Amino acid sequence: MGLQNTLRALADPVRRDILNLLKKGRLSAGEIGEHFSITGAAISRHLSVLKEADLIRDTREGKFIYYDINASVLEEIMLWIRDLKGE
């Protein structure tokens, strides 16, 4: 995905909080939703935006979908910022 989609996804505090949850390990949408006082539909939309930006991956196991962080995209952003700073 493009840098614009990634930065747009990271701009939202709820999505950043979701990423912080996922850095501890994979979670289902329901487990993620337990940490927020927003609707399941809103959680689903946030997860879709993160997935479209390739910041998270999903894996289906039975009737559950588990989400985990895609660190490679974050590493690319860090390299870009580092290059921008001239390091």
Side-chain angles (χ1 to χ4, degrees), residues 20-49:
N20 277 320
L21 288 172
L22 292 175
K23 74 180 179 184
K24 299 171 188 165
R26 72 185 195 143
L27 296 169
S28 69
E31 292 169 326
I32 293 168
E34 291 172 1
H35 296 279
F36 300 93
S37 59
I38 57 177
T39 66
I43 291 292
S44 180
R45 179 65 189 136
H46 285 299
L47 291 170
S48 292
V49 171

Side-chain angles (χ1 to χ4, degrees), residues 3 75-87:
L3 183 61
E75 290 169 1
E76 289 176 24
I77 293 168
M78 289 171 56
L79 289 172
W80 176 75
I81 291 171
R82 188 181 196 179
D83 185 53
L84 190 62
K85 285 178 58 179
E87 293 181 10

